[in-house]
Amino acid sequence: MNKETAMRYMVLLVLLTALTSGTSAFALRIGLQGGINVANVSIDPSATTTDSRNGLMGGAFLEWGMGTWLSLQPELNYTQKGYATGATTIKLDYLEIPLFLKFLLFS
């Protein structure tokens, strides 16, 4: 068995464990998110001025409760960023994959 196959089995095992867990502390939540992104860049102010680019942001998340006070939240987000300087407009589109470790301090 190669590393890629072993990794797939490990991810499948983790997901099955999370889905079949009987306690609410080990809950699995799936959701969507969206919003507006206002991006800009900071360069030498004496050289030129920049304008921001308004773009969209959207994605999905999976929150896996790993106890009563800890959860792991990976996300997959598409976001639009960029800026404009004079006649030049820079448009950057990203696929972001953040991973958050969340602690619940008060219940």
Side-chain angles (χ1 to χ4, degrees), residues 57-72:
M57 176 273 186
F61 67 88
L62 176 96
E63 184 176 4
W64 179 33
M66 299 167 41
T68 57
W69 55 272
L70 181 68
S71 68
L72 188 66

Side-chain angles (χ1 to χ4, degrees), residues 30-36 57-62 73-78 96 98 100:
I30 299 172
L32 299 174
Q33 56 190 1
I36 297 173
M57 176 273 186
F61 67 88
L62 176 96
Q73 181 175 321
E75 295 182 358
L76 179 63
N77 298 321
Y78 169 77
E96 300 175 334
F100 299 104

Side-chain angles (χ1 to χ4, degrees), residues 10-32:
M10 182 65 101
V11 169
L12 182 62
L13 179 65
V14 167
L15 286 175
L16 286 175
T17 303
L19 290 173
T20 59
S21 177
T23 63
S24 63
F26 293 91
L28 184 67
R29 292 182 5 175
I30 299 172
L32 299 174

Side-chain angles (χ1 to χ4, degrees), residues 37-41 51-55 80-84:
N37 189 7
V38 181
N40 204 349
V41 66
D51 293 324
S52 63
R53 177 189 182 200
N54 299 334
Q80 298 173 327
K81 299 179 182 182
Y83 64 96

